[in-house]
Every structure is written in structure tokens, then in C-alpha cells.
Amino acid sequence: MKDILNFINGEYTKGTSGRTFDNISPIDGRKIATVHEALKPEVDAAVKAAKAALDGPWGKMSVNERVEMLNAIADGINARFDEFLEAEILDTGKPKSLASHIDIPRGAANFKVFADTIKNAATETFMLDTPDGAGALNYGVRRPKGVIAVISPWNLPLLLMTWKVGPALACGNTVVVKPSEETPLTTTLLGEVMNEVGVPKGVFNVIHGFGPDSAGAYLTQHPEVDAITFTGETRTGEHIMQAASVGLRDISLECGGKNAAIVFADADMDKAIEGVMRSAFANCGQVCLGTERVYVERPIFEEFVQRLKEGAESLKLGAPHEAGTNLGPLISQEHKEKVLSYYKLAVEEGATVVTGGGVPDLSSELSGGAWVQPTIWTGLTEDARVVKEEIFGPCCHIQPFDSEEEVIKLTNDNVYGLATSIWTENLTRAHRVAPKIEVGIAWVNSWFLRDLRTPFGGAKQSGIGREGGEYSLEFYSELSNVCIKL
Ligand code: NAD
Ligand code: 6OD
């Protein structure tokens, strides 16, 4: 049985707390590993190492040297692609076809993209007129912010962690990462790559544990953490924002969503079905950008419901390596209980269950896993909790609409504002509707098509701040203006 250790100052350590917790497979409920929890002493040691590394060789590196190092980290992940893949699959149970196309390649690409971004980033200059006629030159310089706390979730563990570690290191910071307690494996493995490619000790640290009274809270409350970047639930984001207010530390929050897909009658039906199938069911519905509300223009409503039902019923639930598997389990029994409670609530709130609504009948080896059926509902009113609240499972509610104005109103009538996808062959309509949707990203005739140079983040309760491209540089560096009187 494997022990998963903290990674502090370039070394794997159990720490002194002696506290451990089990890492459980969502596929069958068996124990995968024992994880060594970090408490205050381990968090102190990790932050101290990260702070000291700012003054060591890392702090003296040129941008080009850092760029080379980031590219080497990406190459190091790719060189051990299969190990990262198997670790991610073990932790999450997601199909191999998904993890090998999304999680691991993007996990590596996040270092390359931000190496390119920092290499090519300019800062502003302004010439100022002065009364003596000589003028003054203003220009911006970027300095690292310092020690960055990275708190990441379980749904895309490597991808979402490196999405923050990549730009943080590109800007010259050091990091202390707390991966989700559900998925510690790939973040821990990344420590080995950091050592292999020669990243100085203390630049990348990993501590394991939970939120309150554990690694997460100790890290975010630590006075020597200079900024906090977080991906996870909105409620957790609120706690982190409170912790960050002490000492006025900067925060970036990427939080929950209740995303809508809008399907107009002029949409290409095949493309819309394929897109909504992915946005509702990929990663077993555990993608923050995923669709849980589908609004379909009335003339094509019946056909759309029937075809999405056929699509959902054709999904193959199964073990990650089984040929043809395209739907895995939820992350844990606890999350399964939460999703099933919404399946029950949907019926209580008056939904028509188009398909699913329960637990699938799988082979006995998988019976201890966190499996649920892909589920579609119709017939709920817009104030139903199932239509309003984030479920984070493989499910969606489909509702007909009659006008553009109505669907914009329905889509925006939610406390979240993360993403939407609009399906129409009328581009004039797409241009008219997309900017009116109160979200961080609006896709037209696509979903999860990511250009990493663009701003990414959420409106309303889906988050604070934008990351991606130069927006990440803004968060991960302190921009100063130098004013030279000529
Ligand atoms: P979560 O908020 O439960 O946990 C996220 C991380 O925060 C974990 O590492 C957890 O241990 C830690 N944490 C929990 N309480 C803490 C505290 N008090 N102090 C410090 N750290 C604490 O979220 P989750 O269940 O892991 O992930 C699912 C959620 O994440 C969903 O709501 C989903 O929408 C959201 N999400 C958002 C994005 C985005 O980009 N907007 C991306 C992925 C997931
Ligand atoms: O693609 C990304 O950069 C990103 N942050 C995706 C988030 C997915 C949420 O589950």
C-alpha cells in the first residue's frame, strides 16, 4: 500500500503530525493509499521553504532561464505521461480516453503556454510632458508577488493545479500547493519532476489535507503567504476570501457554476446534440463549465429531448481502461449521496424523469464505487432548486423557450455566471446574444474550446478575477511603475 507524502523543500516527508487519511478509489471503494496530512508545523515548513527559495538561485534566474525551466517541467510530465495518466485515473476513476486527451496533455501544456506568455509579455510605457519641456518616461516592471498558495479541486486535478502553478512560476513566485484531499496523486508526482529537471528546492511545495483545521486553512491563514489562488466551491471561496482579508492578500477565485446551454431552432441538430452530450456528461458532469440547464426553442424541443435521451442511454459506464468506456464514477461516496439527493429532489419538485435518476446496475467488482446514472429531466419550474443549484453530476434539465429575449432572461436568472454555450447557425443572432449572457465565457457552436491566451473566470458568484494569458501575469506579479524625469 502506497504512502503519499508531503513535498517540502524538495523532499518527501511524512511530517510530524502523524495524522493520516485514506485515499479511496471511486471505482470500487477500495483503499488506494495512505495520505500523510499536513498540520501547522508542515505548513509552516512549506511556507518557510517557499519564502527562502525566493532569495535563492530561483530568485536570481533571468526570465529566459525560468522559461527554459518551465519547458523542462512540461517535457518532464510528458516523459512520464503514462505514470501521470495512471495516477489521475486511480484517483478519479475517469475514463482513460478522457484523461489521456484532456487532463495530462493540458497539465503539461499549462507550463509551455505560460513560458511563452512571460517571454513575450510587454509592459506599458508613457511619455509625460513636463513644464520644462524635457518630459518624463514611465514604464512598467513586473516583480513576483512572493509565496503563492494554490488550493485546487478534485475534478481535473493536474490540469487545474498546473493552470495556476505554471503562471505563478513563470512570474518568478514560489508556490505551496494544497491539492484536494480526494486527489493527491498527480500533484505529489509532480514533485519528482521538479527535482528531476532541477527546479531549486522550495520553489514547489505540496501539503496534503482538508480545509478547516487542516492544511487548507493553515495555509490560507499563514501570514507569510502573499497571495492565494483557489478553484473550488463558492462557499469555500467565501472562507478563503475572509482568510485573505487579514494582511490584505490578493485572491483569485474560480468557483461554481449552473451553466446553461441555449439551443435555437436553427441550430445544426447533430452538432448541438454532440456538444450538449459532452457539456452535460463529460467527466461524469464534474466540470465547472458543464451544462446543467438546457433551454431549447420550442419547435425542436421534443426532437432534442428524444435525441439527448438516446445519447445519454448510449453512454457506456465502466472501468477506466475498459474499451469503449465513456462515463466514469463520481469522485466519492459523499458526492454520490449529494447527487442522488438532487435526483430525489427533482422528483419531489415535480420533474418528469426522461432517463436515469438512480444508480446503474454494474458488475459486482464495481458495486462499491460512486456510480450514478446519467439523468435528464423536463417539466420543472424555473424556481426549482434542481434548476437553480449546482449539482456537479451527470444531469441536466431541459426547458422549452419561445423568444430570444426570454431565453436571455432565463439564462441570466441565476446567482452563478461561469459559462454558456449557444447553438445556432445564425451568427448575427450569436453575436447579439452572447454578450448579453452574464458569464465569464460564452461559447457559440462549441464547448470547452480553450485558447489559453484569453481571460478565464466567472461573473457573479462564479468567482473573482481573470486568469489566462496576460491576465495571469497580472495576478501573479506585482506591477510597478518607474517614472524617470528626463
Ligand atoms: P471545494 O471547495 O470543496 O474544495 C476545493 C479545495 O479547497 C480543496 O483542496 C479543499 O480541501 C480546499 N478547502 C476546503 N475548505 C477549505 C478552507 N476552509 N480553507 C482552505 N481550503 C479549503 O471544491 P471541490 O468539491 O474540490 O470542487 C468542486 C467545486 O469546484 C464545484 O463547485 C466546481 O464548480 C468548482 N470548480 C470551479 C472551477 C472554475 O474554474 N470556476 C473549476 C473546477 C471546479
Ligand atoms: O480550461 C481551463 O483553463 C480551466 N480552468 C478549466 C476549468 C474547468 C472546470 O472544471
Side-chain angles (χ1 to χ4, degrees):
M1 183 66 58
K2 225 177 156 176
D3 272 318
I4 302 302
L5 307 184
N6 300 292
F7 181 73
I8 299 174
N9 205 26
E11 283 170 21
Y12 286 96
T13 168
K14 288 185 175 170
T16 54
S17 81
R19 263 197 359 207
T20 60
F21 58 94
D22 293 345
N23 185 10
I24 302 293
S25 164
I27 300 167
D28 51 16
R30 87 196 140 86
K31 182 174 169 181
I32 303 167
T34 300
V35 188
H36 290 261
E37 187 176 352
L39 296 180
K40 209 165 178 306
E42 292 74 29
V43 174
D44 279 344
V47 174
K48 193 168 160 227
K51 199 167 170 60
L54 290 166
D55 295 326
W58 177 252
K60 296 182 181 61
M61 275 187 196
S62 65
V63 170
N64 274 344
E65 286 169 326
R66 282 208 308 270
V67 163
E68 274 176 32
M69 197 126 268
L70 288 174
N71 283 319
I73 298 168
D75 293 342
I77 295 173
N78 285 327
R80 297 177 67 174
F81 191 96
D82 289 346
E83 278 175 80
F84 276 94
L85 182 62
E86 291 310 320
E88 205 72 306
I89 289 172
L90 203 56
D91 256 350
T92 60
K94 60 180 79 190
K96 184 179 177 189
S97 52
L98 180 72
S100 60
H101 280 93
I102 305 269
D103 298 65
I104 312 305
R106 250 303 291 282
N110 284 336
F111 287 101
K112 290 229 185 255
V113 164
F114 289 104
D116 287 347
T117 308
I118 195 74
K119 200 169 162 181
N120 295 309
T123 54
E124 287 175 323
T125 62
F126 293 96
M127 288 298 295
L128 178 72
D129 288 341
T130 55
D132 64 4
L137 168 68
N138 289 277
Y139 63 91
V141 286
R142 287 201 180 88
R143 286 179 288 110
K145 271 201 172 137
V147 177
I148 310 286
V150 178
I151 314 272
S152 48
W154 45 256
N155 61 324
L156 298 162
L158 183 72
L159 185 161
L160 290 175
M161 181 266 297
T162 60
W163 167 244
K164 286 160 180 298
V165 171
L169 298 190
C171 293
N173 302 284
T174 58
V175 296
V176 180
V177 183
K178 198 209 77 65
S180 167
E181 54 274 29
E182 305 285 0
T183 52
L185 297 184
T186 46
T187 307
T188 308
L189 188 54
L190 187 58
E192 290 184 23
V193 171
M194 296 286 175
N195 281 348
E196 279 161 14
V197 304
V199 172
K201 286 180 186 313
V203 171
F204 174 81
N205 305 275
V206 181
I207 51 164
H208 293 297
F210 305 84
D213 301 317
S214 185
Y218 294 129
L219 179 60
T220 51
Q221 288 162 8
H222 201 291
E224 294 198 284
V225 163
D226 297 294
I228 304 167
T229 180
F230 166 77
T231 306
E233 284 187 27
T234 297
R235 217 166 338 132
T236 314
E238 288 171 350
H239 287 296
I240 288 178
M241 203 166 164
Q242 280 178 349
S245 72
V246 179
L248 287 190
R249 279 96 44 79
D250 206 355
I251 44 161
S252 170
L253 302 178
E254 294 180 350
C255 299
K258 184 73 181 179
N259 311 302
I262 302 171
V263 187
F264 286 101
D266 63 12
D268 177 318
M269 183 63 101
D270 291 345
K271 283 190 216 155
I273 290 290
E274 193 271 337
V276 175
M277 277 297 295
R278 281 198 307 120
S279 68
F281 302 122
N283 208 35
C284 201
Q286 302 165 118
V287 181
C288 61
L289 307 160
T291 300
E292 290 189 356
R293 299 183 285 152
V294 189
Y295 297 107
V296 181
E297 206 167 359
R298 202 173 297 274
I300 60 164
F301 180 76
E302 296 299 337
E303 183 191 354
F304 186 92
V305 172
Q306 179 58 29
R307 288 194 54 184
L308 202 72
K309 170 185 190 305
E310 286 162 13
E313 289 172 356
S314 73
L315 288 169
K316 183 168 182 288
L317 285 80
H321 295 90
E322 227 172 83
T325 293
N326 49 20
L327 198 73
L330 293 168
I331 191 66
S332 64
Q333 287 298 335
E334 190 188 342
H335 192 47
K336 175 177 162 182
E337 292 316 317
K338 176 184 161 185
V339 171
L340 287 178
S341 76
Y342 277 101
Y343 283 14
K344 186 162 167 271
L345 179 64
V347 175
E348 288 164 6
E349 288 186 315
T352 300
V353 182
V354 175
T355 188
V359 175
D361 192 12
L362 294 171
S363 67
S364 60
E365 302 101 76
L366 303 179
S367 60
W371 302 91
V372 295
Q373 288 177 321
T375 295
I376 299 172
W377 304 286
T378 55
L380 287 168
T381 54
E382 281 295 303
D383 59 355
R385 282 182 53 206
V386 167
V387 177
K388 286 276 175 259
E389 298 173 12
E390 183 186 52
I391 301 170
F392 222 52
C395 53
C396 62
H397 177 252
I398 317 181
Q399 172 84 0
F401 71 89
D402 294 300
S403 74
E404 208 174 286
E405 206 178 26
E406 179 197 6
V407 79
I408 292 169
K409 200 159 175 290
L410 289 170
T411 302
N412 286 339
D413 186 17
N414 198 270
V415 295
Y416 293 111
L418 192 53
T420 198
S421 53
I422 300 165
W423 300 89
T424 175
E425 290 297 297
N426 178 343
L427 272 189
T428 304
R429 186 207 299 276
H431 283 296
R432 197 166 53 225
V433 173
K436 294 189 181 139
I437 308 296
E438 296 160 358
V439 286
I441 186 161
W443 279 289
V444 174
N445 295 332
S446 63
W447 176 76
F448 210 163
L449 182 57
R450 293 280 289 112
D451 181 331
L452 305 187
R453 297 168 296 186
T454 58
F456 181 91
K460 303 195 271 190
Q461 291 187 26
S462 288
I464 294 185
R466 294 290 179 271
E467 298 197 35
E470 298 211 5
Y471 299 89
S472 293
L473 305 191
E474 266 181 37
F475 177 71
Y476 293 104
S477 53
E478 198 66 60
L479 191 57
S480 304
N481 184 62
V482 177
C483 176
I484 301 184
K485 172 74 177 65
L486 300 175

